[in-house]
Amino acid sequence: MLAGRLRRELDHVDRLLESFLMLAHAEQGPVADQSTISLAELVRLTIERHAGAISAMALDVERENGHDVWVTGSETLLSRMVENVIDNSISHNQPGGWVRVGTAVEGQFARLSVENGGPVLDPDDVKELTQPFRRVGAQRTGSDKGIGLGLAIVASIAEVHDGTLDLQALSDGGLRVVITLPLAIRTAARAPA
């Protein structure tokens, strides 16, 4: 019993330290490890990694058939960004709930949107979720799966990639997360540069 409790506490500290390091890395400024990355592929891989949690909560996950948009940046940071928003959409959902994930091109920008069902959230509280250690709603504050750094990390990663993060409380409950990033420059053959 004590060993199990200690393990949970150590795991929590480990997640906290990892999150601090990722946040510090994201806030360092321009990224050095630039590559061209498919957001749709990052989404697919992340959903595959969370298949067990999705199944355990009986979530209906819908991947919208949008564009396979390409962006330029740090694969490590962009993977973490996608991981955080999809993990949040699962962790802060309700059993039998839903998640919608889509990618699209809007002008010169790539757009990743992740929506999930869940409790009704106060729109004013949602604006604070990009601040470290901010969590809202009974489902969020009662969760031992998060520490309140996930969306702060996402905001920092988007910013360092010249992008934006927009959060919106859904009227029927849940959250919409929209990340906008500049599209990767493509060659004449329309392949990623």
Side-chain angles (χ1 to χ4, degrees):
M1 183 182 274
L2 179 60
R5 185 171 161 220
L6 285 172
R7 178 78 260 156
R8 284 190 303 276
E9 291 298 320
L10 288 172
D11 287 346
H12 181 75
V13 169
D14 187 46
R15 287 191 311 271
L16 182 62
L17 289 173
E18 181 184 348
S19 294
F20 276 138
L21 290 171
M22 184 59 69
L23 185 58
H25 181 65
E27 291 181 344
Q28 284 179 351
V31 293
D33 60 331
Q34 296 277 325
S35 58
T36 302
I37 301 144
S38 164
L39 280 181
E41 182 66 6
L42 291 180
V43 165
R44 184 187 68 75
L45 293 170
T46 302
I47 290 172
E48 282 180 8
R49 279 193 302 275
H50 288 284
I54 291 167
S55 178
M57 290 187 65
L59 297 177
D60 179 22
V61 177
E62 177 185 333
R63 283 184 53 205
E64 296 174 0
N65 289 331
H67 297 289
D68 185 13
V69 297
W70 294 80
V71 296
T72 301
S74 164
E75 185 170 358
T76 302
L77 292 177
L78 292 171
S79 294
R80 181 56 175 261
M81 179 187 74
V82 172
E83 172 75 27
N84 282 7
V85 295
I86 290 176
D87 182 63
N88 278 351
S89 73
I90 296 165
S91 299
H92 301 299
N93 212 313
Q94 52 201 12
W98 57 272
V99 176
R100 268 192 304 270
V101 183
T103 57
V105 173
E106 293 180 353
Q108 298 299 311
F109 295 93
R111 185 173 141 269
L112 168 65
S113 65
V114 180
E115 298 180 354
N116 64 279
V120 174
L121 302 172
D122 183 318
D124 291 329
D125 289 342
V126 167
K127 293 176 188 175
E128 301 294 316
L129 287 175
T130 58
Q131 300 301 312
F133 305 111
R134 300 289 171 95
R135 301 187 304 173
V136 298
Q139 295 295 326
R140 289 181 179 271
T141 56
S143 171
D144 64 353
K145 296 179 184 173
I147 53 177
L149 286 175
L151 290 174
I153 292 170
V154 169
S156 292
I157 292 171
E159 184 178 325
V160 81
H161 287 88
D162 297 322
T164 60
L165 169 65
D166 181 54
L167 305 176
Q168 180 183 7
L170 299 175
S171 59
D172 292 337
L175 185 67
R176 175 181 295 128
V177 177
V178 178
I179 299 166
T180 305
L181 300 167
L183 283 172
I185 297 172
R186 293 180 175 254
T187 64
R190 304 287 296 160

